[in-house]
Amino acid sequence: EIHLNIEDARRLGAHGMFYGPDVPPRPDIEMLRPWLRSCEVEHGDGCARPGGVSVPIEEPRNLYAVDVQQRCVTPLAQGSRYLALSYCWPSGGRTLRLLRANHDDLHQPGGLDCHIDLMPKTLLDAIQLTANLSERYLWIDALCIIQDDSVHIASQIVQTGAVYGSAVATIVAAHPVDKGVPDLCTGLPRYGNPQPFVSRRRAIIKGLRLSVPAGNIEHVRGLTRWATRGWKYQEDLLSRRLLYFTPTQVYWQC
């Protein structure tokens, strides 16, 4: 696979946002926003339909979501836009979860900030990314399902496919963790944890700069612990759009 350089693509009048720039230590948020907007405006029903499947997926009901502006958990009004997070729960240690005991506290504006020391870095990064993408609501299972309420769990688990299928996009925390090593949820790769600058292999042919991409998403995500989760299959299959954060680079799929 070979990509045309982003600057040359623009010079030729092509849509530059999907061509091959070098990979900076942190993702360029100004590039991520147009990916989403372009898909919503230009791709039609193929991406607008939940999961791109032909059978309609019923919109989920009675959801909670993280309000990234108010920094709290809140009931999500029916039909509201939201992003969803797909990730691996941290292994061991105390982490913040929505419980009956903290339900009311976490629903107060600023409620999440009062427990920020218990929030895994991956969740904090996803909340900040949602705000940076100019979206307001983010669905995270640990904070949007009451984890010690069997009735609430049962009502939510049956519609998780619809949750991911109805999300505007799904943020995927996809990083490799060796077998037997605890996954501490240390952040979205490259977003909260800057990585070395990645320069692509290049060649100039007839005045056009061509480059080899950093890695195919199918191969890269196959190396991650996220890819070993049973739940990831429905999250991956049913999501309309996916934003993969990997140590190699950020990938967009719609």
Side-chain angles (χ1 to χ4, degrees), residues 19-75:
Y19 290 84
D22 288 326
V23 181
R26 290 181 183 272
D28 183 356
I29 298 299
E30 296 305 318
M31 179 174 286
L32 301 186
R33 285 197 203 100
W35 287 353
L36 174 58
R37 300 296 175 247
S38 176
C39 176
E40 289 190 292
V41 172
E42 299 176 10
H43 290 181
D45 290 343
C47 293
R49 189 182 306 118
V53 297
S54 56
V55 178
I57 294 178
E58 185 176 349
E59 186 177 327
R61 298 181 178 277
N62 302 317
L63 292 186
Y64 289 151
V66 173
D67 184 332
V68 303
Q69 294 181 10
Q70 295 292 321
R71 307 282 293 182
C72 65
V73 177
T74 187

Side-chain angles (χ1 to χ4, degrees), residues 9 54 76 83 100 124 129 141-142 146 169 192 238-239 249:
S54 56
L76 186 68
L83 303 182
R100 287 177 289 185
L124 291 172
L129 174 64
D141 55 1
I146 306 174
L238 295 178
S239 294
Q249 65 179 49

Side-chain angles (χ1 to χ4, degrees), residues 196-208:
F197 187 90
V198 178
S199 182
R200 299 167 182 264
R201 287 183 293 167
R202 293 177 173 177
I204 299 177
I205 300 177
K206 295 185 177 181
L208 297 177

Side-chain angles (χ1 to χ4, degrees), residues 152-252:
H152 193 252
I153 290 174
S155 70
Q156 298 301 303
I157 289 296
V158 297
Q159 61 175 1
T160 51
V163 169
Y164 285 95
S166 298
V168 173
T170 297
I171 301 165
V172 179
H175 54 91
V177 180
D178 293 334
K179 187 175 181 180
V181 176
D183 187 342
L184 300 179
C185 265
T186 54
L188 294 177
R190 301 199 78 87
Y191 182 80
N193 302 300
Q195 302 292 321
F197 187 90
V198 178
S199 182
R200 299 167 182 264
R201 287 183 293 167
R202 293 177 173 177
I204 299 177
I205 300 177
K206 295 185 177 181
L208 297 177
R209 291 168 291 178
L210 305 177
S211 61
V212 177
N216 181 279
I217 181 56
E218 301 296 333
H219 171 71
V220 172
R221 70 181 183 178
L223 302 175
T224 68
R225 178 166 291 180
W226 172 83
T228 68
R229 295 172 59 243
W231 284 105
K232 85 94 185 174
Y233 290 102
Q234 85 169 348
E235 296 164 10
D236 188 27
L237 177 64
L238 295 178
S239 294
R240 307 182 195 190
R241 309 169 184 93
L242 295 121
L243 195 55
Y244 294 96
F245 283 80
T246 80
T248 306
Q249 65 179 49
V250 178
Y251 295 85
W252 171 264

